[in-house]
């Protein structure tokens, strides 16, 4: 970010004089501020690591940081919109360049991270049995019964059953 501030300030100075220098430096400082708010919110949220509500707290705090950044951005843009000492194009380009630089840094950090491929969970050595309590399942389900309906017993018919009850072919 220091290198980006020097480059943005130098280009701003060449393009629009002192206003360009201030605008370039201000844009990079705002990008650094917003990056810092994100990092700070993650550090604060990680204080609850191990808590049963950690995931919910983490995302609530990070989302709160994003909402804070959005509100700050709107307020800063309203305050700086009519200032005569701000060069709008240099300011805009320095903010965009700062945001892109932070995104590039994020991508580099994430791609270089070393994450374990397996966790510390142990796998069972034998498949657990899965039976409902009190129900004895047959080992072979007859083919004439629908899957999942093996617990139903067909009604017994009397010897002289009607033709409607007779098996169809």
């Amino acid at each position: 970010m220091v290198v980006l501030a020097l480059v943005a300030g130098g280009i701003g100075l060449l393009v629009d004089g002192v206003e360009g220098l201030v605008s370039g430096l201000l844009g990079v400082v705002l990008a650094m501020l917003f990056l810092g708010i994100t990092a700070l919110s993650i550090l604060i949220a990680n204080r609850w690591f191990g808590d049963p509500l950690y995931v919910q707290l983490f995302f609530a705090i990070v989302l709160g940081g994003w909402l804070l950044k959005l509100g700050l951005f709107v307020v800063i843009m309203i305050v700086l919109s009519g200032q005569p000492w701000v060069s709008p194009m240099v300011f805009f380009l320095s903010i965009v360049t700062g945001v892109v630089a932070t995104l590039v840094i994020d991508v580099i950090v994430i791609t270089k991270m070393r994450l374990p491929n397996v966790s510390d969970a142990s796998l069972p050595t034998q498949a657990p049995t899965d039976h409902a309590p009190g129900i004895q399942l047959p080992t072979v389900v007859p083919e004439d019964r629908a899957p999942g309906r093996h617990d139903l017993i067909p009604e017994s018919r009397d010897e002289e059953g009607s033709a409607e009850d007779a098996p169809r072919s």
Side-chain angles (χ1 to χ4, degrees):
M1 284 297 180
V2 172
V3 171
L4 183 60
L6 292 174
V7 170
I11 292 174
L13 183 64
L14 292 174
V15 171
D16 204 16
V18 176
E19 290 86 11
L21 171 68
V22 171
S23 299
L25 292 175
L26 187 60
V28 173
V29 166
L30 286 177
M32 286 183 353
L33 173 72
F34 294 151
L35 175 65
I37 290 173
T38 299
L40 183 66
S41 68
I42 291 171
L43 289 174
I44 291 171
N46 278 337
R47 295 186 68 159
W48 282 273
F49 183 74
D51 191 270
L53 293 175
Y54 169 70
V55 174
Q56 292 86 348
L57 289 170
F58 180 86
F59 286 110
I61 291 169
V62 172
L63 179 62
W66 287 340
L67 292 174
L68 174 68
K69 287 193 307 185
L70 179 65
L72 278 175
F73 183 76
V74 169
V75 169
I76 290 170
M77 291 303 115
I78 289 172
V79 168
L80 294 178
S81 65
Q83 300 300 324
W85 48 269
V86 174
S87 174
M89 186 55 70
V90 173
F91 181 66
F92 170 76
L93 290 176
S94 64
I95 286 180
V96 169
T97 306
V99 169
V100 169
T102 60
L103 291 175
V104 168
I105 291 169
D106 289 345
V107 167
I108 291 171
V109 167
I110 288 174
T111 57
K112 302 270 184 194
M113 280 178 27
R114 303 191 79 184
L115 296 174
N117 291 331
V118 283
S119 67
D120 57 351
S122 62
L123 298 175
T125 57
Q126 190 176 28
T129 57
D130 189 17
H131 296 292
I135 296 179
Q136 180 66 27
L137 299 176
T139 55
V140 177
V141 177
E143 293 179 14
D144 62 338
R145 296 185 188 165
R149 306 284 295 190
H150 53 75
D151 59 334
L152 297 179
I153 301 172
E155 297 178 16
S156 60
R157 292 184 289 162
D158 54 318
E159 303 268 335
E160 300 175 17
S162 66
E164 294 175 2
D165 294 336
R168 298 181 185 176
S169 56

